[in-house]
């Protein structure tokens, strides 16, 4: 479990995160949603340690990440995987080399075992046979899947996905969503997804956390999101009349 | 003024991160070999070409300016040797390479920064500063002295070939000039300079790339800043090293 306790973050006196406390559960897909500029990406960057918090603490399975020295942090980071919005694949490396990278840097596996692990990860994300292609030679959806394969190569305990569906068509987005959900359940990973995509939230979200103006405004599951009276959340999730109609239909059917 | 202190502070912190113990020596050794190829071997052509023409031009210009019977012809060989060894082979070649290698390093690392590739490394637990920058610094400090020796050899040879073929000096006079009052320490001095310049070019360019923020426009700006700062620092350190070693 990842526990975020009372964290605050400001830039030049501007408070971006205000006293946020939230838990992310193992074996579940935990969503962070919110409008652009609400602070959700900053929250994710603080959790993974790319930004330092001004106040509060972050615990990974009761290990206080905030107070760790850089060496201890590195060992925790080796338990993390992250899928970036733009995939962030190393463009000088092939698909295979991208997935091999963390294994070569940190594992004690033999070259043959590394190759087997890469093939397993590629097969798991349905990219078998794409080993020797470069990121520029594959589609956006394939790049995302390669990003997932790289993220799971080290058997992570924590998986972070930053806007995993951005730039993808709806059908490919569903493929990526399902993959994230399957991997989370299969390997009992604590998955944190930052997204604007309400289809993903309703489809695969086990726990949903809504950030509004730098504060944790609402938390709950996908059934509760349909029934909440929280005005700001409703305005965000169901902004149009069409979406409100869908919500009402779903409310009746569940 | 505070901006300069901020740059110095960030550069120092970056260098501390760069020179911390690498995660896996084997991976770094492979990277160093690749960087030797990218920084050194792929620059040999331009270094050789420029040195050939510079040696030839120095020889012709010296010949054109010696029209007094009091100045012996072998001065042409002597001047070409001194120019090539003391300044051209290390300083001018480094200035040229700061344009080619420095901008390349800054744009490569800068692009990795804005496309979150460096963040991806950091999240994996990789020391991105060390992984990306250390091999470049080590490779450049290793290969630059060889490039300087190549530049010396090309320039002096071209001077001889042009001088003799145009009839401005005989080969015997040129050779006499080359060996006249030769101090081997001057070669050591220029090799020392090349190692320092190699460090400046790679570390300063990496610094500007590593701290790039924004998009493609900012990558271009980082690349330009990398070249400008490298050139300024090369000229300052050239003065300091000369003061320390030659006087």
């Amino acid at each position: 479990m990842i526990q975020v306790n009372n964290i605050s973050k400001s830039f030049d006196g501007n408070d971006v995160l205000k006293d946020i406390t939230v838990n992310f559960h193992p074996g579940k897909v935990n969503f962070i949603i919110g409008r652009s500029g609400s602070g959700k990406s900053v929250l994710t960057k603080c959790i993974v340690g790319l930004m330092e918090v001004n106040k509060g603490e972050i615990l990974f399975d009761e290990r206080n990440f905030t107070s760790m020295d850089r060496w201890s942090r590195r060992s925790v980071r080796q338990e993390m995987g992250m899928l970036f919005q733009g995939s962030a694949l190393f463009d000088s490396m092939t698909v295979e080399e991208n997935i091999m990278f963390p294994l070569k840097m940190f594992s004690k596996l033999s070259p043959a075992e590394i190759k087997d692990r890469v093939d397993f990860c590629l097969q798991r994300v349905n990219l078998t046979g794409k080993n020797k292609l470069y990121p520029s030679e594959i589609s956006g959806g394939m790049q995302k899947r390669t990003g997932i394969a790289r993220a799971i190569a080290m058997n992570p305990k924590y998986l972070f996905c930053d806007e995993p569906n951005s730039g993808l068509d709806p059908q490919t987005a569903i493929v990526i969503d399902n993959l994230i959900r399957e991997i989370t359940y299969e390997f009992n990973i604590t998955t944190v997804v930052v997204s604007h995509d309400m289809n993903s939230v309703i489809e695969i979200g086990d726990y949903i956390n809504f950030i509004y103006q730098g504060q944790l405004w609402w938390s709950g599951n996908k059934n509760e999101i349909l029934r909440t009276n929280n005005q700001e959340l409703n305005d965000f999730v169901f902004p149009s009349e069409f979406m409100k109609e869908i919500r009402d239909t779903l409310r009746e059917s569940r | 003024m505070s901006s300069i202190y901020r740059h110095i502070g960030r550069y120092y912190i970056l260098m501390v991160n760069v020179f911390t113990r690498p995660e896996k020596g084997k991976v770094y050794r492979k990277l160093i070999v690749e960087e030797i190829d990218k920084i050194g071997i792929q620059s040999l052509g331009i270094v050789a070409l420029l040195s050939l023409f510079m040696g030839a031009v120095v020889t012709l210009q010296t010949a054109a300016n010696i029209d007094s019977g009091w100045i012996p012809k072998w001065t042409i060989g002597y001047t070409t040797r001194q120019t090539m060894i003391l300044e051209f082979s290390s300083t001018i070649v480094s200035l040229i390479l700061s344009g080619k290698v420095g901008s390349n390093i800054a744009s490569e690392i800068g692009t990795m920064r804005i496309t979150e590739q460096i963040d991806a490394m950091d999240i994996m637990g990789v020391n991105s500063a060390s992984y990306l920058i250390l091999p470049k610094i080590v490779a450049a400090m290793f290969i630059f002295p060889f490039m300087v020796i190549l530049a010396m050899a090309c320039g002096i040879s071209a001077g001889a070939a042009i001088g003799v073929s145009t009839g401005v000096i005989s080969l015997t006079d040129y050779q006499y000039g080359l060996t006249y009052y030769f101090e081997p320490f001057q070669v050591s001095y220029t090799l020392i300079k090349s190692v320092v310049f190699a460090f400046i070019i790679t570390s300063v360019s990496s610094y500007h790339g590593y701290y790039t923020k924004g998009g493609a426009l900012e990558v271009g700006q980082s690349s330009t800043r990398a070249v400008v700062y490298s050139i300024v620092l090369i000229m300052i350190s050239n003065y300091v090293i000369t003061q320390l070693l030659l006087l």
Side-chain angles (χ1 to χ4, degrees):
Chain A
M1 178 185 275
I2 304 170
Q3 293 166 273
V4 174
N5 295 332
N6 307 104
I7 67 163
S8 296
K9 175 73 182 170
S10 61
F11 296 100
D12 301 325
N14 178 28
D15 294 331
V16 177
L17 299 179
K18 298 167 193 165
D19 202 33
I20 288 186
T21 297
V22 59
N23 292 337
F24 299 108
H25 305 272
K28 303 288 179 193
V29 181
N30 304 269
F31 267 85
I32 301 173
I33 60 172
R35 293 178 63 179
S36 299
S38 60
K40 55 189 188 307
S41 290
V42 173
L43 173 60
T44 317
K45 285 183 176 174
C46 287
I47 295 169
V48 299
L50 288 176
M51 287 181 181
E52 295 299 323
V53 295
N54 298 121
K55 187 172 85 68
E57 57 182 18
I58 296 151
L59 289 89
F60 286 83
D61 291 315
E62 298 180 359
R63 293 168 295 172
N64 192 334
F65 189 66
T66 325
S67 62
M68 281 178 187
D69 62 33
R70 55 196 270 189
W71 301 106
S72 309
R73 278 190 175 198
R74 264 187 208 167
S75 64
V76 174
R77 278 178 166 165
Q78 286 164 33
E79 298 172 4
M80 295 179 192
M82 184 151 183
L83 173 63
F84 287 85
Q85 190 171 355
S87 299
L89 298 177
F90 306 127
D91 32 39
S92 60
M93 299 181 193
T94 61
V95 164
E96 180 179 80
E97 288 166 345
N98 265 281
I99 302 164
M100 274 181 183
F101 181 77
L103 296 166
K104 277 187 173 173
M105 291 302 285
F106 299 114
S107 78
K108 291 189 168 64
L109 299 176
S110 68
E113 288 170 324
I114 289 176
K115 183 80 176 66
D116 287 347
R117 180 70 191 158
V118 169
D119 287 341
F120 168 78
C121 293
L122 282 174
Q123 176 262 323
R124 190 64 198 78
V125 298
N126 297 321
L127 280 177
T128 308
K130 307 292 182 194
N131 304 45
K132 301 296 177 194
L133 296 176
Y134 282 89
S136 59
E137 296 172 327
I138 57 179
S139 67
M142 285 179 176
Q143 287 180 9
K144 296 276 184 184
R145 283 189 274 157
T146 306
I148 294 173
R150 185 177 68 182
I152 63 169
M154 290 285 284
N155 275 324
K157 291 169 78 173
Y158 319 102
L159 177 65
F160 298 89
C161 305
D162 185 12
E163 304 277 3
N165 295 334
S166 70
L168 299 180
D169 65 81
Q171 283 181 311
T172 310
I174 288 169
V175 171
I176 300 295
D177 284 343
N178 289 336
L179 196 53
I180 290 170
R181 178 170 56 185
E182 285 165 19
I183 285 166
T184 301
Y185 295 165
E186 193 176 328
F187 303 112
N188 196 37
I189 299 171
T190 305
T191 298
V192 178
V193 182
V194 177
S195 185
H196 283 122
D197 186 349
M198 284 309 116
N199 186 50
S200 298
V201 175
I202 302 295
E203 192 69 23
I204 65 165
D206 293 313
Y207 291 99
I208 299 146
N209 302 285
F210 175 58
I211 306 290
Y212 181 72
Q213 293 183 345
Q215 291 173 287
L216 182 66
W217 206 253
W218 184 90
S219 286
N221 61 37
K222 59 187 172 189
N223 289 323
E224 288 167 343
I225 210 169
L226 297 171
R227 300 183 190 288
T228 180
N229 293 320
N230 188 302
Q231 185 63 44
E232 288 78 13
L233 180 62
N234 274 322
D235 288 347
F236 174 72
V237 180
F238 310 105
S240 63
E241 288 304 316
F242 177 67
M243 289 298 286
K244 285 186 176 80
E245 279 177 33
I246 291 176
R247 177 193 60 187
D248 295 340
T249 312
L250 283 169
R251 272 180 180 173
E252 287 164 18
S253 68
R254 296 191 184 191
Chain B
M1 197 64 184
S2 64
S3 164
I4 293 172
Y5 292 129
R6 193 168 58 88
H7 278 300
I8 293 170
R10 284 204 309 183
Y11 176 80
Y12 174 75
I13 292 167
L14 181 67
M15 286 304 114
V16 169
N17 286 332
V18 167
F19 288 102
T20 50
R21 197 168 61 86
E23 283 96 0
K24 221 164 191 178
K26 193 178 157 191
V27 175
Y28 277 67
R29 281 195 292 276
K30 188 170 170 252
L31 287 172
I32 289 169
V33 174
E34 286 174 9
E35 292 296 340
I36 286 173
D37 177 49
K38 271 164 63 179
I39 294 172
I41 310 299
Q42 291 181 22
S43 303
L44 288 181
I46 186 78
V47 169
L49 185 73
L50 293 172
S51 305
L52 285 170
F53 281 101
M54 187 56 75
V57 169
V58 169
T59 299
L60 293 178
Q61 283 188 353
T62 310
N65 283 286
I66 297 176
D67 48 6
S68 163
W70 292 100
I71 302 173
K73 285 283 185 191
W74 54 259
T75 310
I76 298 169
Y78 175 82
T79 308
T80 306
R81 181 198 82 197
Q82 290 297 83
T83 308
M84 294 309 296
I85 290 179
L86 290 175
E87 279 309 306
F88 181 81
S89 64
S90 53
T91 311
I92 307 299
V93 165
S94 294
L95 292 177
I96 293 159
L97 289 177
S98 70
K100 181 181 183 289
V101 175
S103 63
N104 186 282
I105 289 173
S107 55
E108 178 191 329
I109 296 178
T111 305
M112 289 186 77
R113 168 61 77 193
I114 64 161
T115 55
E116 297 182 309
Q117 293 177 48
I118 292 178
D119 289 346
M121 280 186 190
D122 287 335
I123 285 170
M124 286 174 200
V126 175
N127 178 352
S128 60
S130 180
Y131 181 85
L132 293 172
I133 301 171
L134 185 61
K136 295 184 196 308
I137 292 177
V138 173
M141 290 174 78
F142 172 77
I143 198 70
F144 264 44
F146 293 101
M147 294 163 80
V148 163
I149 291 167
L150 173 77
M152 285 180 209
C154 288
I156 290 170
S157 306
I162 291 297
V164 173
S165 63
T166 56
V168 295
I169 186 173
S170 69
L171 188 59
T172 313
D173 280 343
Y174 191 85
Q175 283 174 332
Y176 181 76
L178 284 183
T179 54
Y180 180 78
Y181 199 62
F182 174 66
E183 286 187 58
F185 178 71
Q186 289 178 347
V187 176
S188 306
Y189 153 79
T190 212
L191 293 178
I192 291 167
K193 282 205 301 186
S194 72
V195 172
V196 174
F197 297 160
F199 178 80
I200 289 171
I201 292 170
T202 45
S203 63
V204 169
S205 304
S206 299
Y207 165 78
H208 284 285
Y210 197 80
Y211 289 109
T212 301
K213 280 181 184 169
L217 183 68
E218 285 77 10
V219 172
Q221 288 169 346
S222 293
S223 186
T224 306
R225 270 200 303 273
V227 175
V228 172
Y229 277 69
S230 296
I231 287 173
V232 170
L233 288 171
I234 284 171
M235 297 316 289
I236 293 170
S237 59
N238 188 29
Y239 165 73
V240 173
I241 295 168
T242 305
Q243 182 83 47
L244 289 174
L245 296 183
L246 284 192
L247 297 175

